[in-house]
Structures are given as C-alpha cells and as structure tokens.
Amino acid sequence: MPTCAHCTVTACRTADMDKIPQNCPMRDGDAMAESLRKYRDDGLLPFFQAAAAIEAEGYCQWPRLREVGEFCQRMGYRRIGVAFCIGLQREARVVVDVLRRYGVEVDSVICKAGGVDKAEMGISQCHYVRPGTFEAMCNPIAQAEFLNQAGSEFNVLVGLCVGHDSLFIKYSAAPVTTLVAKDRVLAHNPVGAIYGADGYQKSRVEAPDQR
C-alpha cells in the first residue's frame, strides 16, 4: 500500500532507486513502464508537454488563471467551456472575460441549469439549504452535456460542489481542470483548513466522533 504522503525519502525526485522504501510504487516497474507508454501511445504527449512548459515558464510568476489561458493558447484550443457554481457567477464572468482575451471562444454553463427541484432526485427537505422552498438542484451532468454539445475542447471548473465536480468530470468529453475549488467557509481557499488542521481549524476538519 503506497504511503507517499508520509515518505521521508522522496527518492522519486532524484531517481535514487537505492533509497526507495519497500512500499514505494516505483518498485512496480511494469506499472511505471505502462504509465510512460500511455503518454506516448495514447496521443497525450503534446498535452503533457504543454503542461510541463507552462509549469516551467510561469513558475512562481503566473497565477493559475493565466496558466489556464496560456495552456489553452499553447494547445491551440479554439473553444473551451466554463462550468461554474451560481454562487460564483461574478467570478465566472471575470474568468470568461480573461480567457477570451487569449483568443478562444468560451461557453459557460451555470450549476442550476434546468431549474429542477431537488425533490426530483429524492433529496429530502432535511437536506435542503432552505427547507420548505423550491430549491433547484445542481446539475453537473447537464453542465457537462451542454459543453459537450458546444464542442468544447477543454473545460474549466469554477467552484462546483464536492461530488458534483466528480460527476462533471465523469461526463465531460473534454479534459477538465479546476480553477476554483469551492470552500464557502474559507473564501474558496481549502488549503487554509489544511494549514490549520492542527490548530484553529481542528474542530472544523475532524469527523464528529473524533472530537
């Protein structure tokens, strides 16, 4: 079972194979070789090379929004999609406007597309944000399908809920990147809870039975 998060060696950075732990995934030579084969044989090499170039050229210089624009430009995309949460509509508008300046057409689809009440999917009132009212369900599958129909070549997520983002990725025909990870408590900065997991955020991140 790989435990890379707790590794104190990280021999992968230096390819020092003499120092790798017993459970290091690099010991599975067949799996590593197969992963490299897929980059080459599955037509993914240009995509990977563009990502590596953006990493190097913008290292500690470009914010992620620019990285997305530069990546789309480098890949020669003509049409991209933005799937966003209604709570970040203002931010999505800025994202769309910025990305258009990179010479691409941008289609955007809101999370409440369809205007379907949560009850249609068997959601009980106790799991409504505002019980007793009409509450439109998030519809990530529709978001993905609308962008598929539009012919997007690359999709950008702006604040979709945990799980909803997974469904979007599952049904998106195009590759997906996350620009904004939703965190309503920390101004969409989920890493803040990680930095404070042993301090100020401890009571917020632990499961109830651990407190």
Side-chain angles (χ1 to χ4, degrees):
M1 180 177 67
T3 55
C4 293
H6 293 89
C7 181
T8 59
V9 180
T10 56
C12 51
R13 296 188 65 175
T14 59
D16 190 346
M17 301 301 287
D18 292 334
K19 295 182 179 179
I20 62 174
Q22 287 300 313
N23 66 336
C24 179
M26 290 198 300
R27 289 187 178 276
D28 188 341
D30 291 340
M32 297 304 299
E34 177 65 7
S35 69
L36 296 178
R37 183 197 64 77
K38 288 179 178 178
Y39 287 112
R40 300 186 180 95
D41 297 350
D42 292 357
L44 299 175
L45 206 53
F47 191 96
F48 180 78
Q49 290 170 339
I54 295 303
E55 176 192 10
E57 293 177 23
Y59 198 78
C60 293
Q61 300 294 322
W62 298 344
R64 190 175 179 90
L65 179 55
R66 179 172 175 181
E67 289 184 339
V68 172
E70 295 277 354
F71 181 79
C72 290
Q73 196 171 64
R74 186 174 291 268
M75 288 297 297
Y77 293 142
R78 296 182 298 275
R79 192 171 210 98
I80 67 172
V82 172
F84 68 94
C85 167
I86 193 171
L88 286 91
Q89 187 171 14
R90 182 179 65 84
E91 292 85 347
R93 189 178 300 122
V94 173
V95 169
V96 170
D97 290 345
V98 169
L99 293 179
R100 281 177 175 161
R101 294 200 284 271
Y102 282 86
V104 294
E105 293 293 325
V106 184
D107 298 292
S108 57
V109 184
I110 199 166
C111 65
K112 301 300 183 183
V116 180
D117 194 280
K118 290 180 177 179
E120 290 287 329
M121 291 293 107
I123 307 300
S124 64
Q125 286 288 318
C126 68
H127 290 139
Y128 275 43
V129 178
R130 298 173 185 84
T133 67
F134 169 83
E135 196 160 291
M137 61 177 270
C138 293
N139 199 344
I141 295 178
Q143 287 178 287
E145 295 295 352
F146 283 135
L147 292 177
N148 292 344
Q149 291 174 19
S152 67
E153 300 167 275
F154 190 64
N155 289 326
V156 181
L157 298 186
V158 178
L160 297 195
C161 299
V162 172
H164 295 158
D165 53 1
S166 304
L167 289 171
F168 179 91
I169 293 167
K170 178 178 176 65
Y171 285 91
S172 173
V176 180
T177 193
T178 298
L179 177 59
V180 180
K182 177 185 286 178
D183 190 320
R184 299 179 185 88
V185 173
L186 296 175
H188 310 301
N189 178 36
V191 75
I194 298 172
Y195 293 142
D198 293 323
Y200 292 119
Q201 298 294 329
K202 185 177 177 65
S203 63
R204 287 179 167 177
V205 300
E206 287 184 340
D209 60 359
Q210 293 178 322
R211 298 171 189 165

